Amino acid sequence: MASGAGSGGNGGKGKQPSLAQLRAFAAVAEYLHFRDAAAAIGMSQPALSGAVSALEETLGVQLVERTTRKVLLSPAGERLAVRARAVLDAVGELMEEAEAVRAPFTGVLRLGVIPTVAPYLLPTVLTLVHERYPELDLQVHEEQTSSLLEGLAAGRLDLLLLAVPLGVPGVAELPLFDEDFVLVTPRGHGLGGRAGIPREALRELPLLLLDEGHCLRDQALDICREAGRTQGAPVTTTAAGLSTLVQLVAGGLGVTLLPRTAVKVETDRNDQLVTGYFADPAPSRRVALAMRTGAARQSEFETFAQALREAMRRLPVRVVAGAG
């Protein structure tokens, strides 16, 4: 047997073992009995013995020592049994992953979210996933837009929830909703509590903004430019997050703009803050899901986007009708 296996190894150079051969050998290595191993994997005993012999031929080494009473692993068999089991385990994981791809809303979904969206929309997203997609392993990453786009391009992230338009090649957007910005002022401010505020009111207000890198900062500056704000108007203080920003407003350092979804969370806990509403058409932003163009899970993501639109109808937003 050993010499036959050895000679077969040279002749079989370039051949690779089959999964059936590895499965047969792994069963023999576990049970050390041909009949029991064959029964365990639903194979006839002659077929099992033939598969092990074929594996020895392919590998060019003797894996087992056969006696009339029992089966023993050779030293090479001891070593290669561990490798065979690892290969079979890896193939099993591959099949499980393929099953997850075939069955939507299972497996891992790595969702990137910008900081000016995460605290206000994640409760809705997480509730939807928990109730409708319990088999989905949602992993959330909160980062600024540039970092999210890098992660999407590199395959580190699967889907993004952020403000658009992005205008990035290779990225497809699934719009969810539009939401207005409101003016947040300290109590006693002349515009606090007012409705129908003209955009031109932003021209000379002491506006507080987020730090560089936040898309909301850029959107606010665009709104101000549209209102005719000059470059010299004061933007002297910035903050890393909306919670800090509204505390600065409450302290009398200026005013700021908040998206409607953030207003309740950020203003309810401080009675020194008052909101004012712009005249129509109010300045607004659009929030969407973004994915790689032609993503393998595109159909799944489109279904997810439509489910999110329905779930977000209860929020103070205008869901994008007819999308998806």
Side-chain angles (χ1 to χ4, degrees), residues 9 13 30 65 77 139 161 179 198 203 251 277 313:
K13 183 176 276 189
E30 180 178 353
E65 298 175 7
Q139 299 176 2
L161 179 59
E179 64 175 329
R203 288 177 179 172
Y277 297 87
R313 289 188 186 280

Side-chain angles (χ1 to χ4, degrees), residues 184-190 192 249-250 252 267 270-275:
V184 180
T185 72
R187 185 169 295 281
H189 192 280
V249 173
T267 64
N270 194 317
D271 60 8
Q272 296 304 306
L273 295 169
V274 184
T275 54

Side-chain angles (χ1 to χ4, degrees), residues 131-144:
E131 293 178 352
R132 191 176 298 193
Y133 310 119
E135 298 302 312
L136 188 64
D137 179 10
L138 183 67
Q139 299 176 2
V140 177
H141 302 262
E142 184 184 35
E143 303 167 22
Q144 292 185 9

Side-chain angles (χ1 to χ4, degrees), residues 207-208 233-238 253:
L207 189 66
L208 304 178
V235 181
T236 56
T237 303
T238 62
L253 295 187

